[in-house]
Amino acid sequence: MPKRENQPRRTRRSWRDIARYLVHQRASPEAIARGVAIGLVITFTPTVGIQIALAIVFATLFNANRISAILPVWLTNVFTVPPTYAFTYWVGSYAFPRKGHTFASVRHQLSKLILRHDFYRLDLHFRDFFELCKDLFVPMMVGGLVVGATAAAIGYPLTLRWVRRHRARRSERIRQRAFHLSRLRKRPAAEDAATGAAKAGNPGDAGDRRD
């Protein structure tokens, strides 16, 4: 068996790599932050299965970065669906209550749906999810929009500040590196000039050599 040291250190992209990839997008900091905000709103809505398509559509409409809009959508998966949508239902139920449904009961039902099928059978997960959410769609949607808008209001300025700071640091590192390289290039020329001046200032040495 190959040793673990010989295997790739990273079998999947870490969050740090994702963050760097996001910062290096050819888009303005405002467009990247706008995309993150759009993705945060969508990820809390009960639109599992079409969230990526929605992120692309709204990112295009609002002139946002599509990649940064898609990334937050992955926060919603088979593991995070039960607590996430139970919470959004609980928030939305204050405006649109449903009898017989509480935060605990909705979370329990969603957890049972997750365990009903194999992990990779996403089609069955989506089918059961929409079947359960027929009666809960309105409070989930309202709560998801409230929670998502709150997350977006927090995520937009944080992302904007982080992208600007990271790019400023990167520009400063590039500037310093270019400055050091220019000094290294000038040093041999300066040394040659100093050597030539020293030889020109001591003509007697050259005469002694000829003698």
Side-chain angles (χ1 to χ4, degrees), residues 23-25 27 29 162-181:
V23 172
H24 295 161
Q25 290 292 307
W162 174 69
V163 173
R164 285 176 174 173
R165 179 179 298 180
H166 189 280
R167 288 187 174 181
R169 290 179 178 176
R170 185 182 177 215
S171 299
E172 181 63 20
R173 287 195 299 268
I174 294 175
R175 188 190 67 80
Q176 291 180 357
R177 191 175 301 171
F179 175 74
H180 291 311
L181 287 175

Side-chain angles (χ1 to χ4, degrees), residues 3 25 38 42-45 48 61 71-72 78 84 93-94 96-97 113 117 132 138 145 163 168 171 173:
K3 295 181 179 180
Q25 290 292 307
I38 291 172
I42 293 175
T43 195
F44 287 102
T45 59
V48 178
L61 291 176
L71 289 178
V78 294
T84 299
S93 63
Y94 283 93
F96 299 93
L113 291 182
H117 307 293
L132 173 65
V138 173
L145 291 175
V163 173
S171 299
R173 287 195 299 268

Side-chain angles (χ1 to χ4, degrees), residues 21-22 25-27 31-32 34-36 38-39 51-74:
Y21 176 74
L22 184 63
Q25 290 292 307
R26 294 183 177 180
I32 294 175
R34 201 179 304 124
V36 171
I38 291 172
Q51 289 183 337
I52 293 179
L54 290 176
I56 294 174
V57 169
F58 282 101
T60 303
L61 291 176
F62 290 95
N63 195 24
N65 182 259
R66 297 182 182 88
I67 299 298
S68 63
I70 292 174
L71 289 178
V73 170
W74 290 100

Side-chain angles (χ1 to χ4, degrees), residues 197-208:
K199 290 180 179 180
N202 296 310
D205 295 342
D208 293 340

Side-chain angles (χ1 to χ4, degrees), residues 88-89 91-93 96-98 135-144:
T88 57
Y89 167 78
V91 174
S93 63
F96 299 93
R98 294 291 187 271
D135 297 332
L136 309 179
F137 181 80
V138 173
M140 275 188 181
M141 177 61 76
V142 173

